[in-house]
Amino acid sequence: MSQSHSQYRDGGDAAVRAFTAAGADYLFCSSGSEWAPVWESLARHHRDGLPCPQYLDLTHETVAVGMATGYGLVERRPQGVLLHAAPGLLQGSMAVHGALLAGVPMVVASSESTTYGDGPGQDPGGQWYRNLSIVGGPHGVAQPFTKWSTEAASVHTLPTMITRAAELSWRAPAGPTYLNIPLEILLEEWDGREAKPIVPPGSTHSSPEEVDPVAQLIREADNPVVVTETAGREAGGFEALAAFAEAWNIPVVEPDSAVCGNFPRTHPLHAGSDIGPWLDEADLILLVNCRAPFYPPSRRPARAKVVVIDEVPQRPHITYQVLFADHYLEGNVANTLRQLTKRAHGLDTAAVTARRTAQEQRHADEQAAIAAAEAKAAGGEGVDPVLLAATLRGLLDGRDAIVVDETITHSRVVKRHLQVSDPDSYFYVQGGLGQGMAVALGVKLAARERPVVLTIGDGAFAYNPVLPSYDASKTYELPLLIVVFNNRVYKSMNLNHRRFYPQGAAAETGEWLGTDLHRLPRLAAFAEPFGMHTETVDAPDALAPALERALKAVADGTTAVVDVLVTR
């Protein structure tokens, strides 16, 4: 260690060294006045050529957390997120909760004062005494929407607390942890003790005694089905599920609640998104990383046994969860699927052939229905959402693109017609709307060589911190293709109003409140001050050329926004 560095050891150094040891590639920071010790430490690290995480200076909390989420979806390792006091934590809380739902590891930190200027040492500033402090501390606020939340009470334990927070966030079920690091601790002299580098979690495996009976259940089943929401989120899970389904010839359903691509949508064994028919027909349902398959929860299978394959079947952050499990195979999901794949022998050839033939026919019927829907959409006067999704699919073919989806009304259209068939190529934004741009930026940060496309509704677009997201895109050279499915209405709100009150006063008078977005200005225009490529499209023949120009702009290093005025 250089002499210049050894002269300055405080809590800022302790934090930076601990995040470095934890293997964090980045510190995603939405600036707060408590982080001067960390900034000073980073400046010293840069001056002295010492290793440290890269620092991203971001201008909104949702952008900071959302980018860490997107990065973690691809890299699957914990990163650091620095927010400001309790207000910054509250501003970023929706995105932190989204990271919890998505199962993304990260260590989130913010700060509060403990002395309010009455203690020895440097004065932290009166803002905490007057405005920023919150009863119980920010770690109390964070507890409901994080995996683990506490306060670092001493500079001497701070490095180990960061290590522990990172390790806890990485363990199943992966998710964000939170540390309140008081400013006085960041300013306090540190003795230089090092944090030990963390290592990846060890894996747990189901034993042969547990796997063999399940393999026998599958062998004896005439009409089994797999239902999965997040198998593709696990390292190797996408490939392991494909091999398992092929070996046993079992159809795979990805319900609307799927949060990522889990199985090739073009594969003959892909059975769409509707679990409904299988509840009456299947004699064995394999829930593979499926948090909440049945809705309403009381809608249990008519005769099927249920096998749950999941590292942590009972998600502790879900308030109400019904699985109807008859068997559990707990442990690493990809490994469990591989173990079951090895046991795919002694099958009833006639039964397997019959169900494979039936599924191939279902798949062919679905592909024909998709083609018919696309042909109908192509013949319309305006831009149907189906036409938009199909056109986008054609243009992305062969580009190894990643799609981040923050649509609501059009989410089924996007999944059905984009037909993503590769691992780590589709992610659906979790939690509340308004995070999609940030998550897409984080995905791009982790996969700079791949095109990243954000599909987003106009309502969701309005919820996003648009200007801070564009700033991050330009500053850190993270070009995105942003495609807005713009129907000028909060359609999901309107549909619920019509569903609950089909003959109500609004239906009689046409006064639909809470839904109209016609008043919004041209959405693509917000990108123009940043020098980004913008297009607004309202005609079918203009759609493909506009998207082609936008993709070229992205390939040339510029974010492109294509606002498509869809017909519904």
Side-chain angles (χ1 to χ4, degrees), residues 89 100 137-150 176 178 317:
L89 175 64
L100 179 70
H139 48 292
V141 172
Q143 190 276 328
F145 52 83
T146 57
K147 182 180 176 183
W148 178 81
S149 175
T150 194
Y178 173 80
H317 63 267

Side-chain angles (χ1 to χ4, degrees), residues 349-542:
T349 304
V352 169
T353 300
R355 71 169 175 253
R356 176 78 185 218
T357 301
Q359 172 51 34
E360 288 179 348
Q361 185 59 56
R362 281 190 294 264
H363 183 76
D365 292 343
E366 169 65 1
Q367 294 303 306
I370 288 172
E374 293 177 359
K376 179 180 178 182
E381 293 186 4
V383 181
D384 189 282
V386 169
L387 176 63
L388 175 52
T391 303
L392 194 56
R393 181 189 72 233
L395 292 173
L396 295 180
D397 185 39
R399 295 178 184 259
D400 193 27
I402 303 173
V403 175
V404 176
D405 187 18
E406 197 178 29
T407 60
I408 296 295
T409 302
H410 302 114
S411 61
R412 293 180 183 178
V413 169
V414 170
K415 290 177 182 176
R416 189 183 189 210
H417 292 275
L418 277 183
Q419 303 220 20
V420 175
S421 294
D422 296 311
D424 289 341
S425 291
Y426 173 85
F427 300 104
Y428 189 76
V429 177
Q430 297 297 290
L433 294 174
Q435 308 169 62
M437 290 186 182
V439 173
L441 288 168
V443 169
K444 182 65 177 179
L445 185 66
R448 286 183 178 268
E449 73 287 355
R450 300 176 65 183
V452 175
V453 181
L454 172 66
T455 53
I456 187 170
D458 51 324
F461 184 96
Y463 284 132
N464 272 258
V466 174
L467 299 184
S469 297
Y470 288 162
D471 172 64
S473 173
K474 185 171 183 178
T475 301
Y476 296 107
E477 298 180 343
L478 301 170
L480 305 175
L481 171 56
I482 300 173
V483 180
V484 185
F485 284 65
N486 188 348
N487 59 5
R488 283 82 71 202
V489 65
Y490 282 123
K491 191 66 174 287
S492 61
M493 287 78 146
N494 185 252
L495 290 174
N496 263 3
H497 193 158
R498 293 174 184 271
R499 180 162 64 95
F500 296 145
Y501 302 98
Q503 297 177 331
E508 179 183 346
T509 63
E511 185 183 11
W512 301 106
L513 301 176
T515 65
D516 185 22
L517 293 178
H518 282 86
R519 65 182 182 273
L520 291 179
R522 191 164 58 91
L523 299 183
F526 292 99
E528 291 172 359
F530 293 89
M532 295 172 174
H533 181 91
T534 65
E535 303 256 5
T536 300
V537 178
D538 62 0
D541 57 354

